[in-house]
Amino acid sequence: MGFKFCSLSSGSSGNCQYVETDNIRLLVDGGMSGKRIETLLKSIDVEPDSIDGILVTHEHIDHTKGVGILSRRYDIPIWANENTWVGMESKIGEVKCENIKMFTTEKQFDIEDLGVYPFRVSHDANEPVGYCLFYKNIKISLLTDTGWVNNSIKDAIKGSSLYLLESNHDVEMLKVGKYPWYLKKRIMSDVGHLSNDDAGKLITEIATGKGEVVLLGHLSKENNYPLLAYETVKNIVLDAGIDIDNDINIDLTYREKATKVYNF
């Protein structure tokens, strides 16, 4: 069966990713209602009661809204670092003690047959992380909600078969948009979100040209368009001499529906 990945939803209205190996099914974040997550899981023929665990990146509500609900409803363990637990505990409600799982950022651990490496990112949360997930000889890397990407992050995620990378906003749309200036500054800051240009540049620095999948995620509803994100990233990648028909596969994630299920 192998390694499977699907982005169930990605954006400021809610984030939830699905990962499956031969022996385990996990969610990364659960930033929508429990009912919505259940519906999205069923849309890819996965029953919610088959989920074995939830990994949390950080405590913001668009990543945690449904986490506690699902844990209580299906008796699901939740993994997060201690500072994220502190930040989200009051938001997700009471969880069974045995379902509170803590890890140390930048220290790899295993959940059944899945290797998990939580790496530090730059965002205005208590201790936000991205994840590298390992199964057999395949690596998947999930990097959203960060204002910048340092060499440590690039080294951690490079060589993945699939990337979920933030492509949150178009800088000019954000600058002239309706957001108040303080919010614009926050989004463009080192603890905000990566722009389309940032995403394109990052891909040129990590791509190996071995057919890896790059999913553009966490697109802003107000400050981006899916086609604009795709075209901006595509043009940067093409200018770097990377063949998007053969070297890599760039695609989009969605707020309102799941992507296809990627199999490795």
Side-chain angles (χ1 to χ4, degrees):
M1 187 165 60
F3 204 0
K4 296 184 178 182
F5 176 84
C6 176
S7 177
L8 298 175
S9 183
S10 185
S12 54
S13 55
N15 296 272
C16 188
Q17 322 304 328
Y18 174 76
V19 179
E20 179 181 332
T21 71
D22 289 335
N23 296 300
I24 196 168
R25 291 176 167 182
L26 295 178
L27 298 179
V28 179
D29 292 331
M32 299 155 286
S33 70
K35 183 176 181 180
R36 178 62 180 154
I37 295 171
E38 290 168 344
T39 298
L40 288 165
L41 282 168
K42 290 178 180 178
S43 76
I44 61 168
D45 298 320
V46 174
E47 290 300 319
D49 62 2
S50 71
I51 298 300
D52 299 300
I54 304 172
L55 290 164
V56 178
T57 59
H58 64 290
E59 70 271 15
H60 290 170
I61 198 68
D62 59 325
H63 293 259
T64 58
K65 183 177 181 179
V67 168
I69 296 166
L70 293 176
S71 179
R72 289 186 289 276
R73 189 171 293 168
Y74 300 110
D75 195 26
I76 301 173
I78 303 167
W79 277 265
N81 59 47
E82 184 176 0
N83 285 327
T84 297
W85 269 109
V86 169
M88 74 176 178
E89 203 162 11
S90 63
K91 299 177 182 179
I92 69 173
E94 189 173 351
V95 174
K96 286 183 180 179
C97 289
E98 58 266 32
N99 285 333
I100 298 174
K101 309 289 186 180
M102 292 192 190
F103 60 72
T104 301
T105 301
E106 297 183 349
K107 183 176 180 181
Q108 187 168 329
F109 63 99
D110 295 325
I111 304 175
E112 297 292 337
D113 57 357
L114 182 72
V116 180
Y117 178 69
F119 56 88
R120 197 177 307 275
V121 299
S122 181
H123 196 52
D124 53 357
N126 284 4
E127 192 179 328
V129 299
Y131 290 106
C132 294
L133 306 174
F134 304 89
Y135 181 60
K136 296 182 177 176
N137 62 337
I138 301 296
K139 177 167 72 171
I140 290 173
S141 292
L142 311 180
L143 174 62
T144 66
D145 296 80
T146 191
W148 73 300
V149 180
N150 59 24
N151 288 333
S152 177
I153 295 174
K154 294 172 191 174
D155 290 342
I157 66 176
K158 192 168 185 178
S160 299
S161 297
L162 180 145
Y163 300 92
L164 172 62
L165 298 182
E166 181 166 60
S167 189
N168 177 256
H169 59 278
D170 175 80
V171 174
E172 292 307 313
M173 279 187 70
L174 176 62
K175 286 180 177 178
V176 302
K178 62 182 181 181
Y179 279 6
W181 179 241
Y182 79 87
L183 184 53
K184 293 178 182 181
K185 284 175 64 179
R186 177 248 173 188
I187 292 169
M188 291 187 289
S189 75
D190 285 351
V191 293
H193 294 276
L194 297 180
S195 69
N196 297 335
D197 294 308
D198 293 331
K201 183 173 183 293
L202 176 59
I203 293 168
T204 67
E205 293 172 340
I206 62 173
T208 60
K210 296 179 180 178
E212 57 261 51
V213 174
V214 181
L215 299 179
L216 306 180
H218 216 295
L219 273 66
S220 170
K221 185 177 181 180
E222 292 79 16
N223 302 303
N224 213 348
Y225 296 109
L227 183 59
L228 177 59
Y230 178 82
E231 289 295 325
T232 301
V233 169
K234 181 188 78 172
N235 288 334
I236 292 171
V237 170
L238 286 172
D239 286 345
I242 299 171
D243 185 344
I244 63 168
D245 294 319
N246 298 300
D247 295 342
I248 62 172
N249 174 18
I250 302 173
D251 212 340
L252 294 163
T253 61
Y254 311 97
R255 283 185 298 274
E256 70 283 357
K257 66 179 182 178
T259 63
K260 74 175 187 178
V261 178
Y262 292 87
N263 295 272
F264 298 94

